[in-house]
Amino acid sequence: MGWSKDGGDGRKGYHHGNLREALIRAALHLIGEKGPGGFTFADAARAAGVSSAAPYRHFRDRDALLADVAKRGFELFAAALEKAWNNGQPNPYVAFEAVGRAYLAFARKEPAHYSAMFEAGVAPESDPELQKASDAAFGVVRRASEALTAHLPAAGRPPALMMSLHMWALAHGIASLFARADAGRRKLPMSPEDLLEAALLVYLRGLGITDRPGV
Amino acid sequence: MGWSKDGGDGRKGYHHGNLREALIRAALHLIGEKGPGGFTFADAARAAGVSSAAPYRHFRDRDALLADVAKRGFELFAAALEKAWNNGQPNPYVAFEAVGRAYLAFARKEPAHYSAMFEAGVAPESDPELQKASDAAFGVVRRASEALTAHLPAAGRPPALMMSLHMWALAHGIASLFARADAGRRKLPMSPEDLLEAALLVYLRGLGITDRPGV
DNA sequence: TGTACATCAGTGAACGCGCGTTCACTGATGTAC
DNA sequence: TGTACATCAGTGAACGCGCGTTCACTGATGTAC
C-alpha cells in the first residue's frame, strides 16, 4: 500500500526516486507475512509498484536483498541493545536486564528482520559488513557481561565470553520458541520477559552475583 | 538414490509398496539439503521414483507431509531424551546432563527433523498427534527438572515448570545458533556441548544444587 | 542562460522452467463364492 | 481350485501460474560549455 506509485515515497513519475529503500521495505513486509522463504523478488517489485526487471538495478539477486535486510537488522539490533545497556546505568545488573528485554522486544517487534538475521540461512561470513554488524550486536552482550563480572574475585571469575554466549543463547531460545510472531510459537504460562528475567536471576546467583552491585 | 524404483524398499513393479515411507524419507533428505522452504512435493515424488500425482494418494498436500515429518521428529526426539534421562540413573544430575547432550545431538544428527519441528512454521496445535508428541518431548525435560529439584527445601524450591522452560530455551538457543547444520551457524570457540554443560552448572548452582545429589 | 550530450533508472515483452493440481485411465492385488 | 469382480495405488498428459532473468528500449536527470 504505502509504497506503490503514488505513495509518499518521493516517487516522481518515471523514476521511482528511492527504489532501493522501497524494495527493502517491501521485503520486510513480505517476510513478516510469509516467512523468509515466502518472499520473492517479483513480489517485492510488485509491492514497490515497479516492473519485475527493475530490482536488478539495485540488487544482484534475491539473496543480495535478503543479506541487506539481515545487515540492517543487525545494525538496528545492535543499536537497540546498546541503548538498553545505557553504559551500564544505573547499575550493571539493572542494565543487563534491560538488554535482555530489548532482545525479546526486537524479536517481537521486528520479526522480519529477526528471521532474516537468524533463520534465513544467511551466512554472517558472506559479507564483511554483515559480519561487522553481527559482531557489534554480540559485542554489547559481551561488554555487559564483562561489566557484570568485573567485581567478582578474579579467582573464580567466569569468562565473560562464556557468560555472554550463555545469555545470547538463552535469549535467542526464548525468542525463537515463545516470542516469535508466526504459527510456530509455543504457548507459555508467563511472559517471555518474565521467563528470561527469572533465568537471569538464577544464573547470576550461580555466578555469585547475588544482588545489585555498584550503583 | 536409495529410494528410486529399484531400491531396496520393496518396490514391486507398478505398485511402489511403501510410497508413504519413501516420500517421508525423500522429504527428510531434501529438507536436510535445502531447508524446510526448499522442499517441494514434486521433488519428493521424483526422489521416490514416482509420478508427480502419486503423492496425493498419501498426503493431502505439501503441508500435510511436513506436519508428518515434524510429528515423527518429535516422537524420535522424545524417545532420545527419554533414553538419555534413563530414569534419572545413575543420579539426576548426571542424567540431566545427558538429556542436554541428547538435545544437541538430535539437532545435529537430525537437522531435517529439527527444522521441520521448530522452524518450518508448523503449528503444534494443528494436529493432536503432533501436539502429543511435542508434549511428550517437553515432558521428559519437565520430569527431569522435578527430580533434580525434589531434594531442595520446599521453601525456596523453584517451580519445575519454570526450570524446564529455561533448560529447553537454553538448549534450543545453543542448538539454533551454534549446532545447526546450515550456513547460518555461528562460530564458537568451544563445543556446543561444553557450552551447555557450563551453563547448566552455573544455573544449578544458582538454584542451590551444588553437587551431585542422591546416588 | 540555453543547448547538447552522457548517464542513470526505469519499461515491457519475452523466454524457459518447475510447481501444484486435476483427470480419466489402468495395472496389480485381494477376496467372495 | 479357479474365476469374477471390487478396490487400491499407481500413470501420464495436461492446465494455469508465477518466478527469475535477459534484452533492447526510452524517459528523466545532471552537467559541460
Side-chain angles (χ1 to χ4, degrees), chain B residues 63-204:
Chain B
D63 285 349
L65 206 175
L66 209 58
D68 211 78
V69 169
K71 191 198 72 180
R72 284 160 178 254
F74 273 113
E75 286 165 357
L76 291 172
F77 191 46
L81 297 185
E82 192 75 60
K83 186 180 171 202
W85 173 240
N86 190 27
N87 279 309
Q89 297 304 320
N91 66 59
Y93 190 97
V94 168
F96 202 96
E97 276 186 9
V99 172
R101 278 196 303 275
Y103 195 114
L104 297 181
F106 186 87
R108 185 183 284 122
K109 286 190 208 152
E110 300 288 343
H113 274 125
Y114 198 80
S115 65
M117 289 154 64
F118 291 114
E119 296 175 353
V122 177
E125 309 84 24
S126 66
D127 172 13
E129 284 194 71
L130 174 57
Q131 176 87 58
K132 193 178 147 199
S134 168
D135 289 349
F138 178 65
V140 178
V141 181
R142 167 114 198 213
R143 270 180 289 123
S145 298
E146 270 160 9
L148 255 186
T149 55
H151 297 298
L152 293 176
R157 187 187 301 165
L161 171 61
M162 189 196 75
M163 174 178 169
S164 48
L165 289 169
H166 286 159
M167 290 299 108
W168 193 20
L170 184 65
H172 181 72
I174 291 176
S176 298
L177 290 171
F178 309 117
R180 63 187 311 134
D182 69 18
R185 183 179 57 244
R186 257 70 185 172
K187 295 241 161 55
L188 193 66
M190 63 196 82
S191 76
E193 280 76 7
D194 286 349
L195 186 67
L196 178 58
E197 187 176 336
L200 181 60
L201 194 77
V202 174
Y203 185 90
L204 292 181

Side-chain angles (χ1 to χ4, degrees), chain A residues 174 178-179 185-193 195, chain B residues 161 165:
Chain A
I174 290 176
F178 309 116
R185 185 179 55 245
R186 257 70 185 172
K187 294 240 163 56
L188 192 66
M190 63 196 82
S191 77
E193 281 76 8
L195 185 66
Chain B
L161 171 61
L165 289 169

Side-chain angles (χ1 to χ4, degrees), chain A residues 25-109:
Chain A
R25 260 182 297 162
L28 283 172
H29 188 242
L30 292 166
I31 294 170
E33 271 192 338
K34 303 190 264 175
F39 134 75
T40 67
F41 229 31
D43 232 349
R46 204 171 304 125
V50 108
S51 83
S52 66
Y56 291 88
R57 297 277 170 212
H58 298 277
F59 298 98
R60 202 183 60 255
D61 56 19
R62 200 195 94 108
D63 285 348
L65 207 175
L66 210 57
D68 211 79
V69 169
K71 191 197 74 181
R72 284 160 178 253
F74 273 115
E75 287 165 356
L76 291 171
F77 191 47
L81 298 184
E82 192 75 59
K83 186 180 172 202
W85 172 240
N86 190 25
N87 279 308
Q89 296 304 319
N91 67 57
Y93 191 98
V94 168
F96 202 95
E97 274 186 11
V99 172
R101 279 195 302 276
Y103 196 113
L104 297 181
F106 186 87
R108 185 183 283 122
K109 286 191 207 152

Side-chain angles (χ1 to χ4, degrees), chain A residues 115-135:
Chain A
S115 67
M117 289 154 64
F118 292 114
E119 296 175 352
V122 176
E125 309 85 25
S126 67
D127 173 13
E129 284 194 70
L130 175 58
Q131 176 86 58
K132 193 179 148 199
S134 167
D135 288 350

